[in-house]
Amino acid sequence: MKPIYKPKGAAAEYGDYAVNIYTGCPHRCYYCFAPQVLHRDREAFHSCVEPRKDIVREVRRQLEREQITGKLVHLCFTCDPYPTGYDTTATREVIKALKEYGNHVQILTKGDGSRDFDLLDGGDWYGITYTGYKSMLFAPQNDPFAEAPEQRIMLINQAHDLGIKTWISFEPVLFADDVLYMAQATRDYVDKIKIGKLNYHPSNINWAQFGREAEALCKSLGLDYYIKDSLRAEMEKG
């Protein structure tokens, strides 16, 4: 097994390498693409969550064998590095190994990664996914078993105060107005934002208009931002 791999296609936008630590994710986001990509039954993917077999040992072996160093490693694509309600010791050990070999990590989570803030420094990134919410009262409809969105925002603020680079992935966007609001509200403690559309599911959002509004807002606020390719394509139509 070679758990450290180079992302391809749209995923290549995220980093030099990536590692997927767990076999599934309990957050049950309805739009999750991972079961389809992994050819897994959706219910099994959400209910059978455990570290991949020998993941820490295999990460260390690959780091030693290939001398992977000085790279940015994304955690994770097909799972969450901090599945809510599960032991995340495997994530901590993977981060330790990557850092020992001189790499940095780029975390993206809907969980609580604060237990590992002591391992991170100014070369690492701690990020959260925020899709936008019609109301915080209805937040569980989007990702019913993830950390509450306000908790995620609090954690990213905490990471910033510790000198860790922070970012928000506004993808997929479910409620455009809330995403635009949050991009502005978090500008003082978020170092970068990435914005992408909802794919493979119906939406009444005018993506071209939303993308242009989002980009104009980022420019006016002086935010470091990245528009995902699929949204950029919508913006450039016509």
Side-chain angles (χ1 to χ4, degrees):
M1 181 173 70
K2 295 179 65 174
I4 306 172
Y5 68 97
K6 292 184 178 181
K8 297 179 180 179
E13 301 172 342
Y14 280 88
D16 303 313
Y17 287 91
V19 178
N20 296 312
I21 302 172
Y22 300 93
T23 59
C25 179
H27 296 160
R28 294 181 180 269
C29 308
Y30 78 84
Y31 49 80
C32 182
F33 66 91
Q36 180 178 354
V37 169
L38 297 173
H39 305 290
R40 295 277 308 280
D41 174 78
R42 183 168 289 271
E43 179 58 32
F45 175 80
H46 291 312
S47 59
C48 300
V49 181
E50 59 186 9
R52 294 170 62 194
K53 185 178 180 180
D54 299 326
I55 183 67
V56 176
R57 183 179 69 180
E58 292 302 323
V59 163
R60 286 191 172 277
R61 283 182 174 180
Q62 189 177 354
L63 287 167
E64 174 64 26
R65 183 173 61 251
E66 300 181 18
Q67 288 298 296
I68 298 172
T69 187
K71 303 298 183 180
L72 182 64
V73 183
H74 182 79
L75 307 177
C76 305
F77 280 116
T78 61
C79 62
D80 193 302
Y82 296 100
T84 302
Y86 288 80
D87 181 10
T88 60
T89 299
T91 299
R92 185 170 180 83
E93 293 304 313
V94 166
I95 293 173
K96 283 182 179 179
L98 292 169
K99 298 282 288 179
E100 286 172 14
Y101 278 82
N103 299 289
H104 289 293
V105 296
Q106 178 178 260
I107 292 165
L108 181 61
T109 183
K110 286 187 176 182
D112 181 347
S114 60
R115 65 167 289 182
D116 295 334
F117 284 172
D118 63 307
L119 300 179
L120 308 182
D121 57 42
D124 300 301
W125 291 81
Y126 182 80
I128 64 168
T129 298
Y130 188 95
T131 60
Y133 298 86
K134 182 177 181 181
S135 165
M136 289 301 181
L137 294 175
F138 298 101
Q141 293 181 347
N142 296 4
D143 31 46
F145 295 99
E147 289 291 328
E150 59 267 32
Q151 174 71 3
R152 285 177 246 159
I153 295 295
M154 183 189 74
L155 289 170
I156 207 170
N157 196 345
Q158 181 182 342
H160 181 269
D161 288 344
L162 293 171
I164 302 164
K165 292 180 181 178
T166 56
W167 68 295
I168 296 181
S169 175
F170 292 113
E171 185 189 24
V173 171
L174 303 182
F175 294 95
D177 289 345
D178 188 41
V179 163
L180 294 174
Y181 166 79
M182 195 57 65
Q184 182 168 350
T186 59
R187 65 187 183 276
D188 292 334
Y189 51 89
V190 173
D191 295 299
K192 188 170 186 175
I193 63 174
K194 296 186 179 184
I195 309 169
K197 62 189 289 288
L198 173 67
N199 296 307
Y200 314 117
H201 292 276
S203 172
N204 60 5
I205 295 174
N206 182 325
W207 293 113
Q209 178 180 333
F210 165 73
R212 294 177 187 127
E213 289 179 0
E215 184 163 50
L217 175 66
C218 290
K219 288 180 177 179
S220 69
L221 297 174
L223 297 177
D224 186 1
Y225 72 96
Y226 179 78
I227 303 290
K228 297 296 294 297
D229 289 347
S230 59
L231 178 57
R232 178 66 69 185
E234 294 290 334
M235 294 164 60
E236 293 176 352
K237 287 181 179 179

